[in-house]
Amino acid sequence: MPYHASRRSLLTAAAVAAVSAAGVASYSVGGGGRRDDARPGDRAPGPAPDRARLRRVVSAMTLPELVGQLFVSRAYGHSATDPDPADAEQNTALFGVRTAAEVVSRYHLGGIVYFSWAHNTRSPQQIAELSNDLQRAAADSGAGIPLLLSIDQEHGAVARIGKPATLLPGAMALGALRGPASGAPDDAPAAAPGPTASPAAAAGGADSVAEARRAARIAGAELVAMGIRQDYAPVADVNVNPANPVIGVRSFGSDPQAVAALVAAQVRGYQGVGVAATAKHFPGHGDTETDSHVGLPVMRHTRAQWEELDEPPFRAAVEAGVDSVMTAHIVFPALDPSGDPATLSRPIVTGILRERLGFRGVIVTDALDMAGVRQKYGDDRVPVLALKAGCDQLLNPPDLGLAHRSVLAAVESGEVSRARVEQSVLRILELKARRGLFGEAYTTAARVEAAVGVPAHLAAADEIAAGTTTLLANPAGLLPLDASAAPRLLVTGTDPVSPSGTTGPPTVVLARELTALGCTAVAVAPARAAAAAPGNAAVLVCTYNVPEGDSPQRTLVAGLLATGVPVVVLAIRNPYDAARLPACAAELATYTWADAEMRAAARVITGAARPTGRLPVPVPGRYPLGHGLTYG
């Protein structure tokens, strides 16, 4: 037995070396999509892996090693080998070992997913060191297969890594782009009620597509420098439901063709710099009223509606060569009447994604610790059923040991064949080979310094953000304010925590930028705003996901209007706020509340930039898709 194990390890090492040496082949087979759709300026989607050599790697692996490659787990700590005591305790309680490196070795993991709440993302240099140490753990154990390190770095409302890394506008902000980012004159109407830009001109135009691709290239380059080669982005859901509690501004918009164009652009952007993009959440999460983190949503679209509204972005992602697609924990009766969530549905995962759309890449589940996938089956059955449905990567199970044992038992009992597991592992290894991990799994401090948060990237974030602010209403022409007159301004409203925890608070950032532009702006708490309003030229109120009916935010705006001071509302997340508040002197949407968006809004308010953003979603009862005003 010792001789056999040693021989197997030597075979695996030799095969891995052969794969690395063969990693320069042209892209012809094994890609995630059906064709190579790289654009000029993009690197090819990746070299074609040598399938014969990868099959030898797979056949040399033990069953526990094969099963381990299916799993992508969290692990606690900023260091792979020397975590803080609390993180070591958490790892011990959940995984039976103290360190993230030991989690990788014990379970032969295929990947690790980084979270800020797991204390993985303190700083770019720390992340790079963590990535390297995790790769060393993988190289020194089991089959020696490099890890695929992944993250949810969508930008906008979901960002795990913050400053000093570059934070870019999110999906809906990119969907709002139209016309030159500099704000040069276009054919938009003057700043008053009246005709608005057409939807066709408003969403998915040439500038939004180019800027979406540019943003993904910047985001991807920074991730690669930190050792992360898979991003769970872009979101391909078409948000047609204003009450959607989990997608909203994470979507590019409500027009499926515009969303499709932007999704394809970001796939090419990410993969052009070496990061595996992940289109999510298949078959579409844009018209639900339940958050799949806490419940099981039901999608009521008919099959025809799915084909018209939800399918196009995923088809575009596949045709752009996307490396991976993430499933949704939603029930979709028109596509599968069984009541199983899509993640566990063979008719959806295999029948539609594989067979109808022709996707050949890696299918990754949404996180298996979410309530949406755990309501019908136990945690021991969920990973087995996901694998049987056609999924490849099993993301973040609540109990990794139980999940690993359950899949092992399913193979040993014959419920799942070894061949089926090898099929998924082969896809995973092909993705790793395309992203160069067999040849260069490590990063360096110099790469981090050269790429992460560099001045060119930060300037690009501001340039992209400059075109996203959308002026929704300006009935009396209050905006732009004359900054040269040093007007007194009061800034108040909701201050949500930054998605990364590293920017804001937005009211303070907005006040600071307005002051830098020549105004005299002060941020105050909502409780003090009405008393402080008199004597100001205007009060600017940041709102955040205003609910229907009475709410503290609506009460705040009404109270400020009663002072007689002009009120300017900025919807800093969902643009639907405008329909849930009294009419004000001016209304704007920024779609995100990170610093770049607040700076862009300040420039629009003072006329330092002209508003060019257009709504990528309709605001029911108030504004149509494509609405947006500018200054004459």
Side-chain angles (χ1 to χ4, degrees):
M1 289 299 291
Y3 173 77
H4 174 75
S6 175
R7 180 173 178 274
R8 183 190 59 75
S9 299
L10 289 172
L11 283 171
T12 302
V16 170
V19 170
S20 176
V24 296
S26 62
Y27 182 79
S28 57
V29 297
R34 296 183 292 183
R35 59 191 176 91
D36 177 357
D37 248 348
R39 297 291 183 87
D42 274 342
R43 228 162 59 186
D50 186 320
R51 284 192 163 193
R53 288 187 172 93
L54 285 177
R55 285 192 183 98
R56 288 197 289 275
V57 173
V58 171
S59 65
M61 295 168 71
T62 66
L63 183 57
E65 290 167 354
L66 278 174
V67 170
Q69 282 296 306
L70 303 175
F71 286 99
V72 180
S73 177
R74 69 200 180 283
Y76 290 83
H78 69 285
S79 166
T81 56
D82 187 24
D84 292 338
D87 292 322
E89 290 178 12
Q90 191 81 318
N91 287 329
T92 300
L94 291 171
F95 309 116
V97 292
R98 294 185 67 259
T99 70
E102 291 172 300
V103 176
V104 170
S105 300
R106 178 170 186 171
Y107 294 101
H108 312 291
L109 290 180
I112 289 283
V113 54
Y114 289 163
F115 292 108
S116 53
W117 50 259
H119 309 139
N120 304 139
T121 58
R122 286 185 178 177
S123 72
Q125 290 288 4
Q126 166 267 319
I127 295 168
E129 185 175 348
L130 174 63
S131 298
N132 285 342
D133 286 346
L134 288 171
Q135 293 291 9
R136 292 186 188 100
D140 293 342
S141 63
I145 304 297
L147 292 166
L148 187 61
L149 300 173
S150 58
I151 197 165
D152 278 297
Q153 188 76 353
E154 298 172 13
H155 290 270
V158 176
R160 311 298 187 197
I161 304 171
K163 292 196 308 185
T166 305
L167 287 167
L168 294 142
M172 193 169 286
L174 293 171
L177 280 166
R178 175 178 178 269
S182 64
D186 60 16
D187 60 354
T196 59
S198 69
D207 292 287
S208 61
V209 169
E211 293 292 60
R213 187 160 163 256
R214 180 189 186 194
R217 289 179 66 85
I218 292 169
E222 297 200 3
L223 291 177
V224 168
M226 292 180 277
I228 300 167
R229 298 296 185 88
Q230 184 180 32
D231 194 8
Y232 297 136
V235 171
D237 304 313
V238 180
N239 200 79
V240 295
N241 187 344
N244 194 322
V246 67
I247 304 301
V249 295
R250 298 169 64 195
S251 164
F252 290 107
S254 63
D255 179 338
Q257 298 306 320
V259 174
L262 294 167
V263 165
Q266 290 225 305
V267 167
R268 295 185 178 106
Y270 279 116
Q271 296 185 182
V273 295
V275 170
T278 307
K280 63 185 187 185
H281 307 80
F282 190 82
H285 207 321
D287 192 9
T288 58
E289 295 187 6
T290 301
D291 183 346
S292 51
H293 291 85
V294 298
L296 179 57
V298 178
M299 190 74 150
R300 299 297 183 186
H301 288 184
T302 65
R303 177 68 180 241
Q305 287 174 321
W306 176 80
E307 292 175 359
E308 179 184 358
L309 294 173
D310 305 296
E311 179 184 23
F314 291 101
R315 181 175 291 280
V318 171
E319 291 180 350
V322 70
D323 276 344
S324 53
V325 173
M326 179 180 285
T327 63
H329 302 327
I330 61 171
V331 172
F332 208 133
L335 303 183
D336 179 0
S338 70
D340 286 343
T343 297
L344 310 182
S345 167
R346 186 168 179 82
I348 292 175
V349 174
T350 297
I352 298 178
L353 183 52
R354 289 278 185 225
E355 296 171 2
R356 176 182 170 88
L357 298 186
F359 180 57
R360 296 181 296 160
V362 170
I363 299 176
V364 54
T365 70
D366 206 344
L368 297 182
D369 62 345
M370 293 166 59
V373 78
R374 302 173 71 188
Q375 293 195 355
K376 190 173 179 180
Y377 303 99
D379 291 337
D380 59 332
R381 293 299 297 159
V382 166
V384 175
L385 295 174
L387 189 62
K388 292 175 73 173
C391 297
D392 303 305
Q393 285 185 312
L394 305 172
L395 177 61
N396 203 34
D399 185 334
L400 177 60
L402 174 63
H404 192 274
R405 292 191 301 273
S406 297
V407 175
L408 275 175
V411 178
E412 290 167 347
S413 71
E415 181 183 4
V416 176
S417 69
R418 178 180 170 113
R420 170 66 191 89
V421 175
E422 289 185 349
Q423 183 184 51
S424 283
V425 173
L426 182 60
R427 290 192 191 104
I428 293 165
L429 297 195
E430 287 173 344
L431 189 159
K432 293 180 179 184
R434 280 198 303 278
R435 294 300 140 227
L437 284 166
F438 286 103
E440 192 178 20
Y442 300 97
T443 187
T444 65
R447 288 179 184 170
V448 175
E449 290 294 328
V452 181
V454 295
H457 288 179
L458 297 173
D462 276 329
E463 291 167 8
I464 296 168
T468 63
T469 304
T470 305
L471 180 60
L472 300 175
N474 193 25
L478 174 69
L479 301 183
L481 299 173
D482 182 5
S484 67
R488 287 182 57 192
L489 303 174
L490 195 69
V491 182
T492 189
T494 305
D495 270 327
V497 175
S498 167
S500 64
T502 62
T503 67
T507 60
V508 173
V509 175
L510 181 61
R512 185 170 62 231
E513 188 67 16
L514 288 166
T515 299
L517 290 167
C519 305
T520 303
V522 177
V524 300
R528 296 176 48 217
N536 286 279
V539 180
L540 283 67
V541 185
C542 294
T543 65
Y544 182 94
N545 292 3
V546 177
E548 296 279 4
D550 292 334
S551 69
Q553 294 186 78
R554 183 180 177 88
T555 300
L556 171 65
V557 171
L560 290 168
L561 287 170
T563 68
V565 178
V567 175
V568 177
V569 166
L570 294 86
I572 62 173
R573 184 163 176 164
N574 285 336
Y576 309 113
D577 289 2
R580 298 165 183 173
L581 294 169
C584 294
E587 300 168 359
L588 303 101
T590 68
Y591 309 99
T592 316
W593 61 102
D595 290 2
E597 285 76 10
M598 293 297 97
R599 289 193 294 266
R603 293 194 295 274
V604 166
I605 289 166
T606 59
R610 295 173 65 250
T612 59
R614 300 292 179 267
L615 279 173
V617 294
V619 176
R622 292 291 288 274
Y623 306 116
L625 173 70
H627 173 80
L629 307 176
T630 192
Y631 304 141

